[in-house]
């Protein structure tokens, strides 16, 4: 299975159907992070209708993994707990990303009861925020620890990940986040690169990214917390070593993006796109056509032949040297 998937990615032999679907259940948010692109992308700041959500779940043939996060805060959706239950009942492996401020006992219970595979918390700082990133951290950390304790006491298999964005000159912030993750035995820290399609963010270059990754690997080697920094590193053990070696082959010099290999993004209206970063690039509508027809359709084939042009300046998973 692992070898077949690896060879498929190297030679870009697509799976017959997407394995992962990201649903835009809401694009509303209680934070206003300066690097968030929901306004740049002009996504609708609406909640997905529960009936529409159920219909989408019924039409996700072949999909194994369900991500209930788009450009908003999923816990703001009034039917979020019901959505978890519906997805869990259908056997999907459910993940979502949250800032964690709205996490309460009812949602924690739903996470555990519905065997959510992983909860990712967006955390860019551990010390008191200076507000420069557009949000405060107060309430986040306490709720992360509360969820971790409840998961452990329940014997749940739900994983807790932290996600941080690497900003220029803010290496210490990343180290602080990593130390928090290690101290509380969280499962993974996932670092990401700023998307500069809409704003010329000053950001670290490729060499700086590699240096930071090496520092974190050395500092936290042997610990429980894994560290991912796509496109440089992922996984653990021998799979991590293998990924570092073959990563350039997977991207084919920027010709292909790993994010679109087996994923689709579906908005509140049922429109299917290759990626949440391309919500306007509609491949079809899941209410009007089967996912299989959309996935194998001419629009998707055209996109795969012309990915660099379609994705523009986006290089968040690229291994070519980039400039600020």
């Amino acid at each position: 299975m692992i070898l077949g998937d690896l060879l498929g990615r190297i030679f870009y032999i697509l799976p017959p159907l997407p394995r992962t679907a990201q649903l835009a259940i809401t694009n509303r948010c209680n934070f206003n992070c300066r690097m968030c692109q929901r306004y740049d992308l002009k996504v609708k700041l609406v909640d997905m209708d529960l009936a529409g959500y159920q219909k989408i779940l019924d039409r996700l043939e072949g999909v194994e993994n369900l991500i209930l996060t788009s450009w908003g805060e999923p816990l703001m959706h009034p039917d979020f707990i019901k959505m978890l239950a519906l997805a869990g009942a259908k056997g999907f492996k459910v993940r979502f990303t949250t800032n964690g401020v709205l996490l309460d006992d009812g949602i924690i219970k739903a996470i555990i009861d519905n065997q959510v595979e992983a909860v990712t918390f967006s955390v860019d700082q551990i010390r008191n925020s200076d507000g420069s990133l557009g949000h405060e951290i107060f309430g986040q950390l306490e709720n992360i620890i509360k969820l971790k304790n409840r998961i452990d006491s329940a014997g749940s298999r739900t994983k807790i990940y932290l996600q941080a964005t690497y900003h220029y000159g803010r290496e210490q912030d990343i180290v602080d986040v990593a130390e928090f993750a290690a101290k509380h035995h969280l499962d993974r820290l996932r670092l990401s690169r700023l998307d500069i399609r809409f704003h010329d963010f000053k950001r670290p270059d490729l060499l700086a990214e590699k240096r930071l990754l090496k520092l974190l690997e050395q500092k936290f080697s042997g610990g429980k917390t894994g560290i991912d920094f796509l496109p440089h590193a992922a996984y653990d053990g021998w799979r991590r070593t293998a990924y570092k070696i073959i990563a350039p082959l997977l991207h084919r010099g920027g010709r292909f993006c790993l994010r679109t290999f087996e994923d689709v993004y579906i908005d509140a209206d049922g429109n299917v796109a290759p990626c949440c970063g391309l919500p306007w690039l509609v491949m079809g509508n899941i209410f009007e056509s089967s996912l299989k027809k959309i996935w194998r359709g001419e629009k998707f084939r055209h996109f795969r032949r012309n990915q660099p042009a379609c994705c523009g300046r986006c290089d968040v998973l690229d291994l070519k040297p980039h400039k600020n």
Side-chain angles (χ1 to χ4, degrees):
M1 179 65 178
I2 294 175
L3 180 60
D5 182 64
L6 186 62
L7 291 175
R9 288 179 179 274
I10 291 175
F11 295 102
Y12 213 70
I13 303 171
L14 295 166
L17 285 163
R19 300 191 185 109
T20 301
Q22 180 181 359
L23 304 190
I25 63 171
T26 185
N27 283 316
R28 297 184 301 117
C29 192
N30 54 334
F31 277 6
N32 189 29
C33 304
R34 70 183 183 93
M35 58 279 195
C36 179
Q37 298 169 323
R38 67 182 184 276
Y39 295 114
D40 299 312
L41 294 169
K42 297 180 174 58
V43 295
K44 293 182 180 180
L45 304 184
V46 298
D47 297 334
M48 182 179 286
D49 176 75
L50 186 61
Y53 172 81
Q54 290 179 281
K55 188 174 181 180
I56 289 173
L57 293 189
D58 290 338
R59 299 178 70 85
L60 292 180
E61 54 182 320
V63 171
E64 303 169 9
N65 310 300
L66 197 64
I67 302 174
L68 300 183
T69 310
S70 180
W71 291 103
E73 169 52 57
L75 304 191
M76 290 188 70
H77 197 294
D79 294 315
F80 182 71
I81 290 178
K82 292 180 182 178
M83 288 177 160
L84 286 185
L86 289 168
K90 286 187 170 293
F92 289 108
K93 296 178 182 178
V94 179
R95 309 192 302 269
F96 66 90
T97 299
T98 173
N99 56 53
V101 171
L102 301 178
L103 190 70
D104 59 24
D105 289 340
I107 296 173
I108 290 175
K109 184 178 186 300
I111 289 170
I112 294 172
D113 289 349
N114 293 289
Q115 302 178 52
V116 169
E117 182 180 51
V119 180
T120 299
F121 292 91
S122 294
V123 180
D124 290 292
Q125 295 173 300
I126 295 299
R127 306 178 190 190
N128 289 344
S129 172
D130 58 9
S132 63
L133 298 182
H135 63 77
E136 301 291 339
I137 65 171
F138 306 112
Q140 287 185 283
L141 308 184
E142 293 85 351
N143 285 342
I144 294 171
I145 296 171
K146 180 193 292 187
L147 177 61
K148 171 62 176 174
N149 291 337
R150 291 280 293 277
I151 286 173
D152 289 347
S153 63
S156 171
R157 295 184 179 180
T158 298
K159 306 295 185 183
I160 297 180
Y161 303 154
L162 297 188
Q163 176 177 285
T165 307
Y166 184 22
H167 296 254
Y168 184 83
R170 304 190 81 121
E171 288 78 8
Q172 186 58 49
D173 285 337
I174 300 296
V175 173
D176 290 344
V177 174
E179 288 178 341
F180 176 84
K183 177 182 177 180
H184 295 285
H185 307 290
L186 306 184
D187 295 282
R188 301 199 79 74
L189 168 63
R190 290 182 162 173
L191 306 181
S192 59
R193 180 187 292 165
L194 287 167
D195 187 342
I196 58 171
R197 286 181 298 164
F198 305 101
H199 303 280
D200 289 325
F201 291 117
K202 188 176 182 182
R203 65 180 190 184
D205 61 21
L206 200 68
L207 292 178
E209 291 175 351
K210 291 180 179 179
R211 285 196 298 267
L212 177 62
L213 177 62
K214 185 176 181 179
L215 169 66
L216 295 175
E217 288 178 330
Q218 292 174 343
K219 188 176 180 64
F220 301 102
S221 63
K224 179 182 183 296
T225 304
I227 299 173
D228 296 340
F229 194 169
L230 292 175
H232 303 290
Y235 311 111
D236 294 309
W238 68 267
R239 294 179 69 190
R240 185 178 188 82
T241 302
Y243 179 86
K244 287 184 177 183
I245 296 172
I246 66 171
L249 296 177
L250 302 178
H251 294 270
R252 298 278 192 90
R255 181 181 174 191
F256 296 119
C257 173
L258 295 183
R259 179 64 184 274
T260 60
F261 177 75
E262 60 179 19
D263 293 36
V264 289
Y265 171 81
I266 305 175
D267 69 14
D269 296 321
N271 294 314
V272 180
C275 170
C276 64
L278 300 167
W280 63 81
L281 197 63
V282 177
M283 303 287 105
N285 189 287
I286 200 166
F287 296 140
E288 301 170 358
S289 183
S290 72
L291 187 57
K292 182 177 181 179
K293 287 183 178 179
I294 296 171
W295 182 248
R296 300 182 181 184
E298 175 54 35
K299 287 185 177 180
F300 245 125
R301 289 198 296 271
H302 174 80
F303 165 73
R304 292 170 187 134
R305 291 192 299 265
N306 300 278
Q307 277 198 30
C310 294
C311 296
R313 297 176 66 204
C314 179
D315 62 353
V316 295
L317 291 180
D318 200 345
L319 280 166
K320 296 192 302 294
H322 53 271
K323 298 179 180 180
N324 293 319

